[in-house]
């Protein structure tokens, strides 16, 4: 798979000493537009220059901003996301990189990749990867297999939020993922998925320092799961 800075060459041309992007912005103008889009943090012309020259990678937020400012089609954005994540995953596990690069519409390895990233201590990358795979799953046939993978991915995403979110934000950060895991677990009566979702909710309450609520929630829901296998 091509490196990200190679793919980014599609979106600019050189005119003398200047770089002109597809929206006719110069490098400085595009960097300023991205800076504004990002809330005036995490972007300047030197960062953008280093990215397009292959000396550093975009963050996921920076890539989203790049795509938004240039108004790129969703298929281009997905390709750039896959390339970015492929380069990141190669740094964590070179054995997984070929698997990820070939993932396409075969969802079989999505959960494996997300779980391994979280287990190896990369919660932010776990969340990025989970978001990417969720988009891909939602663009395929939503059969029981794919929905089960989606539920498991969201449970890993929820656990990753539990590892990095503040006590004030953890429950809101985990909310959507827990909702998806709970819905799919109940839809297919998947006991393991339901149990993990309840564990995530209880763990989130604990991180939020709602200790009594955490204990009460876990006791109630695991008693329910045990009585309704």
């Amino acid at each position: 798979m091509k490196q990200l800075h190679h793919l980014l060459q599609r979106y600019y041309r050189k005119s003398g000493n200047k770089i002109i992007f597809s929206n006719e912005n110069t490098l400085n103008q595009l960097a300023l537009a991205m800076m504004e889009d990002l809330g005036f943090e995490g972007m300047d012309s030197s960062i953008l220059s280093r990215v397009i020259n292959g000396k550093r990678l975009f963050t996921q937020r920076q890539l989203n901003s790049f795509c938004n400012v240039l108004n790129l089609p969703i298929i281009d954005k997905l390709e750039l996301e896959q390339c970015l994540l492929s380069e990141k995953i190669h740094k964590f596990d070179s054995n997984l990189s070929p698997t990820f690069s070939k993932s396409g519409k075969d969802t079989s390895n999505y959960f494996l990749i997300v779980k391994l990233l979280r287990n190896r201590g990369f919660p932010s990358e776990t969340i990025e990867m989970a978001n990417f795979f969720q988009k891909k799953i939602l663009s395929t046939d939503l059969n029981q297999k794919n929905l089960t993978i989606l539920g498991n991915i969201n449970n890993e995403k929820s656990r990753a939020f539990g590892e990095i979110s503040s006590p004030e934000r953890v429950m809101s950060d985990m909310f959507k993922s827990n909702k998806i895991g709970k819905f799919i677990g109940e839809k297919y009566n998947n006991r393991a998925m339901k149990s993990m979702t309840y564990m995530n909710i209880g763990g989130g309450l604990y991180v939020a320092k709602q200790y009594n609520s955490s204990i009460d929630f876990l006791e109630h829901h695991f008693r329910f799961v045990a009585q309704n296998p």
Side-chain angles (χ1 to χ4, degrees):
M1 188 174 199
K2 287 186 176 181
Q3 292 180 302
L4 181 66
H5 70 282
H6 291 144
L7 291 185
L8 295 177
Q9 291 174 3
R10 300 174 180 174
Y11 306 107
Y12 68 84
R13 68 184 188 275
K14 292 185 177 180
S15 177
N17 294 324
K18 290 186 176 181
I19 290 177
I20 308 296
F21 287 88
S22 57
N23 65 349
E24 299 303 318
N25 278 178
T26 63
L27 187 143
N28 287 339
Q29 289 171 335
L30 187 70
L32 179 59
M34 290 177 63
M35 187 188 302
E36 292 175 353
D37 187 56
L38 291 165
F40 295 94
E41 61 179 12
M43 180 50 59
D44 58 36
S45 58
S46 65
I47 293 174
L48 182 56
S49 177
R50 286 171 62 82
V51 170
I52 66 174
N53 285 293
K55 295 179 180 178
R56 65 169 290 171
L57 289 172
F58 274 142
T59 65
Q60 186 65 47
R61 286 186 70 238
Q62 288 169 345
L63 179 60
N64 288 342
S65 179
F66 179 86
C67 295
N68 291 339
V69 171
L70 292 183
N71 196 27
L72 299 186
I74 185 63
I75 191 168
D76 287 25
K77 183 177 179 181
L78 284 173
E79 184 179 13
L80 291 173
E81 283 183 343
Q82 178 153 354
C83 187
L84 172 63
L85 294 174
S86 181
E87 287 199 59
K88 286 187 176 183
I89 203 173
H90 183 76
K91 294 181 179 179
F92 308 137
D93 190 328
S94 59
N95 293 322
L96 272 180
S97 188
T99 300
F100 173 72
S101 296
K102 297 175 183 177
S103 54
K105 290 188 177 181
D106 180 6
T107 60
S108 301
N109 292 312
Y110 290 3
F111 174 55
L112 167 67
I113 293 171
V114 170
K115 185 176 180 66
L116 281 174
L117 275 176
R118 193 191 62 75
N119 284 342
R120 293 179 185 181
F122 302 105
S124 296
E125 288 75 15
T126 298
I127 293 164
E128 288 183 8
M129 196 70 69
N131 288 336
F132 175 74
F133 284 144
Q134 178 165 313
K135 292 177 189 175
K136 298 196 78 172
I137 289 173
L138 292 175
S139 69
T140 65
D141 180 20
L142 295 181
N143 52 34
Q144 182 172 347
K145 172 193 169 186
N146 287 340
L147 285 173
T148 299
I149 292 170
L150 180 63
N152 286 328
I153 285 173
N154 272 277
N155 276 337
E156 290 299 317
K157 178 181 172 183
S158 177
R159 294 181 74 182
F161 273 125
E163 294 171 5
I164 62 174
S165 296
S166 68
E168 296 75 23
R169 287 192 52 86
V170 65
M171 292 307 294
S172 59
D173 286 345
M174 296 170 72
F175 177 76
K176 287 184 180 179
S177 294
N178 289 336
K179 185 176 181 180
I180 292 171
K182 183 174 182 290
F183 172 78
I184 297 173
E186 291 178 349
K187 177 180 177 65
Y188 295 114
N189 195 27
N190 187 318
R191 186 176 182 181
M193 190 182 299
K194 287 190 289 184
S195 296
M196 182 55 69
T197 304
Y198 297 146
M199 181 70 78
N200 288 341
I201 295 171
L205 288 168
Y206 189 87
V207 173
K209 300 182 179 181
Q210 300 178 36
Y211 304 121
N212 290 334
S213 296
S214 174
I215 293 169
D216 291 344
F217 179 88
L218 290 171
E219 286 182 348
H220 171 77
H221 282 87
F222 280 115
R223 191 182 307 118
F224 176 80
V225 171
Q227 293 170 354
N228 298 272

